[in-house]
Amino acid sequence: MHNFQARDHFADGAQYIAGRLTKGTSGRTHAVVDPATAEEVYSYELAGRDDVDAAVAAAAEAFPGWAGATPGERSDAMHRFAGVLADRAEEFAQAESLQCGKPIKLSREFDVPGTVDNTAFFAGAARHLQGQSAGEYTGDHTSYVRREPIGVVGSIAPWNYPLQMAAWKVLPAIAAGNTIVLKPAELTPFTSLLFAQAATEAGVPDGVVNIVTGAGKDAGEHLVGHPDVAMTSFTGSTGVGKRVAEIATATVKRLHLELGGKAPFVVFDDADLDAAVHGAVAGALINSGQDCTAATRAYVQRPLYDAFVAGVADLMASVRLGDPFDPSTDMGPLISHAHRDRVAGFVDRARSYARVVTGGEALQHPGAYYKPTLITDAAQDSEIVQSEIFGPVLVVLPFDSDDEGIRLANDTPYGLAASAWSRDVYRAGRATREIKAGCVWVNDHIPILSEMPHGGYKASGYGKDMSAYSFEEYTQVKHVMFDNTAVVRKDWHRTIFGDR
């Protein structure tokens, strides 16, 4: 059983502004429901426009001091931040599993340690924000490049990985000297609030990290459109991302979008079949399939196709659904009954044109559980192949030539992640070059690490989370040029007035 009591932790409210918890002022409340039991575990007042204004004002007030701190000072605070997270790891894991329904072993072994590592990485990266070396590129001037913080960042994070997404938004922003207002999903505010509190506990100044928990149409849109917010980072669906871009454009904000995915899993006929089967099941079912990089479309070269389908079906049938707080549970519920019904709708519609090999039904259980599902015989242009389902559903299609496999892999609007499975280094190398995705794994699917960037192509958005590349989103690049000649009448002036 879980021991995280949200009502006790957040008795003062679900907004975190200028270093303290406070209640929202929208006049509306929201209930956080444990998706494994359908029981309400916390109810809170949603943020309204006034709360967003207060959070942005707090961030703006904190900005000059935080931006003016030395890289070493910011780095030291963030190293302490990583230490606080590590000390409170079990608390974070319990809160994450309670609000999301994800297995405790996933929270303990993936979400929380990944976030601690990400914090430690950016603590070090805060000291490495140099521009180019100085140089005399004209001969008469010395030029150099400065990287400067942008200002107040307004970010919106999704419900599938609330802790990791809070970290991915907050850490590069504050490491670069910005301050931030983060809006987590209303369904899953716990670990974002704990994350902000941990920053304060570590000595990050009040107002540097603020949380507003409100509805997207209200708090979210006001945050994106706020005139004092200089940059927006959004992770979520492509449809909502388009709306975010539309609002941000009106104030010419810097914009970073990490959007939907429909990751292909391409198995060539020389692949290790057992490895591919295990990789497909793990890649498709992580976080109950609620992962924008999850393996959703497996393309298998025809000689391995039948054996692959049989192997995946057998392995999926062995996956243990159950109480997220039981360490033996492999897969928990979906985030809500509404989302479970959405996933079921995709599968039910597919029955008219494809074959459900295994799964394809909800559990008779109060929680929002849906069985691991394998589908075959679907057409490439069908809904089940082209649309993001965001659930434990894998579609398998055959292909003949390598050309066809790569063409099919690229044949969706998305381009966030993909994998290629082959023992042939040249074949795998071709796949990594020609598949249009921000990440292409070879003989694996899902692993991420702090040192490498994460972000998409095409309708999966643009810009990068994690790694030093993320600083491209959160810094302004400034060219500074000094005249070295002390000459009053410079030769180029004569192109504007006078004669030589």
Side-chain angles (χ1 to χ4, degrees), residues 263-266 279-280 282-284 286 293-297 417-421 439 441-447:
F265 186 101
V266 183
I286 185 171
T293 64
T296 59
R297 301 178 289 138
S419 63
W421 297 73
C439 174
W441 294 284
V442 176
N443 296 326
D444 207 345
H445 194 106
I446 285 298

Side-chain angles (χ1 to χ4, degrees), residues 167-241:
W168 289 13
K169 300 303 182 195
V170 169
L171 296 172
I174 68 171
N178 302 288
T179 56
I180 188 168
V181 179
L182 172 71
K183 192 199 88 65
E186 309 95 289
L187 295 172
T188 55
F190 297 162
T191 45
S192 296
L193 293 166
L194 292 176
F195 192 71
Q197 288 179 307
T200 299
E201 183 179 339
V204 175
D206 292 349
V208 172
V209 180
N210 306 275
I211 307 293
V212 289
T213 312
K217 284 288 187 181
D218 188 2
E221 292 199 358
H222 187 52
L223 178 62
V224 173
H226 200 290
D228 295 331
V229 169
M231 184 262 184
T232 289
S233 178
F234 170 80
T235 295
S237 71
T238 298
V240 177

Side-chain angles (χ1 to χ4, degrees), residues 355-380:
R355 180 169 72 99
V356 177
V357 177
T358 190
E361 60 181 345
L363 289 186
Q364 295 302 310
H365 188 282
Y369 290 87
Y370 196 81
K371 292 183 178 179
T373 300
L374 177 63
I375 293 175
T376 62
D377 302 339
Q380 174 66 16

Side-chain angles (χ1 to χ4, degrees), residues 13 92 164 225 303 317 392 436:
F92 277 85
Q164 288 195 325
K436 304 304 181 188

Side-chain angles (χ1 to χ4, degrees), residues 104-456:
I104 191 67
K105 66 179 180 180
L106 183 65
S107 294
R108 285 173 176 160
E109 298 176 33
F110 183 75
D111 298 72
V112 175
T115 300
V116 174
D117 181 77
N118 208 223
T119 307
F121 170 82
F122 278 106
R127 304 184 79 135
H128 298 281
L129 277 167
Q130 302 94 336
Q132 293 179 351
S133 300
E136 285 69 47
Y137 298 101
T138 70
D140 291 336
H141 306 81
T142 296
S143 289
Y144 68 89
V145 171
R146 291 175 53 86
R147 283 194 179 273
E148 298 179 350
I150 295 173
V152 176
V153 175
S155 292
I156 299 177
W159 49 256
N160 58 331
Y161 290 102
L163 176 58
Q164 288 195 325
M165 295 298 100
W168 289 13
K169 300 303 182 195
V170 169
L171 296 172
I174 68 171
N178 302 288
T179 56
I180 188 168
V181 179
L182 172 71
K183 192 199 88 65
E186 309 95 289
L187 295 172
T188 55
F190 297 162
T191 45
S192 296
L193 293 166
L194 292 176
F195 192 71
Q197 288 179 307
T200 299
E201 183 179 339
V204 175
D206 292 349
V208 172
V209 180
N210 306 275
I211 307 293
V212 289
T213 312
K217 284 288 187 181
D218 188 2
E221 292 199 358
H222 187 52
L223 178 62
V224 173
H226 200 290
D228 295 331
V229 169
M231 184 262 184
T232 289
S233 178
F234 170 80
T235 295
S237 71
T238 298
V240 177
K242 291 177 181 178
R243 175 61 179 158
V244 168
E246 179 182 308
I247 296 169
T249 299
T251 50
V252 200
K253 285 180 170 56
R254 178 81 66 88
L255 184 60
H256 165 220
L257 298 174
E258 198 266 88
L259 306 177
K262 190 71 177 176
F265 186 101
V266 183
V267 182
F268 295 100
D269 58 14
D270 67 330
D272 183 318
L273 179 62
D274 286 342
V277 166
H278 282 78
V281 174
L285 301 186
I286 185 171
N287 201 30
S288 300
Q290 299 167 130
D291 186 312
C292 50
T293 64
T296 59
R297 301 178 289 138
Y299 296 102
V300 184
Q301 208 150 23
R302 209 170 290 276
L304 296 184
Y305 177 80
D306 290 339
F308 179 88
V309 170
V312 168
D314 288 345
L315 191 53
M316 276 190 172
S318 73
V319 171
R320 299 165 296 186
L321 279 68
D323 177 3
F325 290 92
D326 182 341
S328 67
T329 292
D330 296 323
M331 195 177 101
L334 298 178
I335 188 65
S336 67
H337 287 80
H339 186 61
R340 183 198 65 185
D341 293 346
R342 177 183 177 276
V343 171
F346 278 102
V347 176
D348 291 343
R349 289 190 296 274
R351 296 180 196 277
S352 65
Y353 57 80
R355 180 169 72 99
V356 177
V357 177
T358 190
E361 60 181 345
L363 289 186
Q364 295 302 310
H365 188 282
Y369 290 87
Y370 196 81
K371 292 183 178 179
T373 300
L374 177 63
I375 293 175
T376 62
D377 302 339
Q380 174 66 16
D381 62 355
S382 61
E383 178 190 53
I384 203 78
V385 174
Q386 292 292 322
S387 298
E388 186 174 33
I389 300 168
F390 226 58
V393 179
L394 177 65
V395 185
V396 185
L397 298 88
F399 69 91
D400 292 304
S401 69
D402 289 16
D403 288 348
E404 181 187 17
I406 293 173
R407 177 181 63 78
L408 292 171
N410 285 328
D411 185 27
T412 71
Y414 301 105
L416 186 58
S419 63
W421 297 73
S422 173
R423 290 184 173 98
D424 185 327
V425 65
Y426 299 105
R427 205 175 203 182
R430 178 192 175 191
T432 64
R433 292 190 301 274
E434 297 186 12
I435 292 176
K436 304 304 181 188
C439 174
V440 181
W441 294 284
V442 176
N443 296 326
D444 207 345
H445 194 106
I446 285 298
I448 55 174
L449 64 161
S450 298
E451 290 84 357
M452 290 292 113
H454 177 85

Side-chain angles (χ1 to χ4, degrees), residues 61-85:
E61 183 177 354
F63 174 70
W66 185 247
T70 67
E73 289 168 339
R74 291 198 293 268
S75 177
D76 288 347
M78 294 183 70
H79 276 299
R80 295 193 300 269
F81 189 7
V84 172
L85 296 174

